[in-house]
Amino acid sequence: MAEGAEEGVGEEETGSRDKLLPAAEPQPPESKTPKALRQEAQRKWEKHVICLALGVTKSNYVAGRKGNRSRGGRLARLLNRGGGGDYGSGPRPLPGSRKMLPTTSMNSRIQGNGALNSRDAARHTAGAKRYKYLRRLFRFRQMDFEFAAWQMLYLFTSPQRVYRNFHYRKQTKDQWARDDPAFLVLLSIWLCVSTIGFGFVLDMGFFETIKLLLWVVFIDCVGVGLLISTLMWFISNKYLVKRQSRDYDVEWGYAFDVHLNAFYPLLVILHFIQLFFINYVIMTDTFIGYFVGNTLWLIAVGYYIYVTFLGYSALPFLKNTVILLYPFAPLILLYGLSLALGWNFTHTLCSFYKYRVK
């Protein structure tokens, strides 16, 4: 019995040592778990989506994995950068997560202020964007008028939310300026309706109202807008950009969009709200008259300055944008001076409108 016990003890020790030592023969490969299969399927699907987004075929991608210097090769090196597998240098998303596409391995310049890669520069030039914008100008079914009306509403209540949407457009479509002319179309409609109302209040005839409408649309809105947008575009790129480089510049289309955003509240206040007070309050040549009229002008021009400031301060690569608020000082000074001298801004505007249509 002692020998049997010793043999049993020896067998137990041998078995324990065998459990601790690695197996001499390789174990057969285990079948993949459902979790691993889902992760592999998700990686394949992400490759497919990215290839479709960049216009790369599967054969080009496979050739790129073998060292080819093609577009597929650049994509393959981008997806496998940093030795992190198919996700690049960033962390792998969990199955079922909403984060489906890699973000940390993309070019940081694309996610910054809007600089473009060389392969995408041709289709993101100013000419290409302008052609795309003008091409959609007469395709009303492709315009999002509901979203444009939402922007017009929030330009009065919360203009910061409007410019927050410009950030989303930059992240999704790689441009700051609008690519949908729906806002411009609605603004033109507002301009026509308010100008006709202005002509009706001032007792203008049909042809005089048409002349006033053409002047307001092509001179006051478009002409002055082109001048102000070009001036602000030059000043911001020359003096407000943190780094003087092509990778950091203000789009002219965005400068024009900022002007349209700021012009809309001014238009509604001076060409719509003011109409209800012109004949009975503002044009009475009393202190109450020019006080109400000049106050409406102060609010309208102040809105223009503030919305313009918000537009340029929303760009992350601009500095010292607070100087765009400096015109408030001469504006308030002019307002006080006009009240002291009895200068009615609205009376001057109406006289100028009547002189235009003669």
Side-chain angles (χ1 to χ4, degrees), residues 8 79 137 159 190 210 214 273 301 307 354:
L79 293 178
L137 189 59
W190 259 104
I210 296 299
L214 295 177
I273 298 177
V301 179
V307 175
K354 292 180 179 180

Side-chain angles (χ1 to χ4, degrees), residues 67-102:
N68 188 7
R69 294 185 179 180
S70 61
R71 195 174 186 182
R74 292 193 297 270
L75 176 62
R77 291 191 296 272
L78 179 64
L79 293 178
N80 296 282
R81 181 180 301 171
D86 295 326
Y87 290 93
S89 58
R92 296 188 177 185
L94 297 176
S97 174
R98 294 182 179 180
K99 186 178 179 182
M100 296 296 296
L101 294 177

Side-chain angles (χ1 to χ4, degrees), residues 195-196 199 204-220 352-358:
T195 304
I196 293 174
M204 294 184 180
F206 176 76
F207 292 103
E208 293 178 344
T209 304
I210 296 299
K211 289 181 181 179
L212 178 63
L213 177 62
L214 295 177
W215 184 281
V216 170
V217 171
F218 292 102
I219 303 299
D220 291 349
F352 184 55
Y353 276 170
K354 292 180 179 180
Y355 174 76
R356 285 177 176 178
V357 297
K358 286 183 179 180

Side-chain angles (χ1 to χ4, degrees), residues 216-237:
V216 170
V217 171
F218 292 102
I219 303 299
D220 291 349
C221 181
V222 178
V224 176
L226 294 176
L227 179 62
I228 295 178
S229 302
T230 304
L231 181 63
M232 293 300 300
W233 170 76
F234 174 78
I235 293 176
S236 58
N237 284 321

Side-chain angles (χ1 to χ4, degrees), residues 104-123:
T104 55
S105 62
M106 292 296 179
N107 194 335
S108 59
R109 300 190 324 181
I110 296 179
Q111 299 177 0
N113 68 325
L116 301 174
N117 293 329
S118 58
R119 63 173 178 266
D120 297 329
R123 56 192 178 91

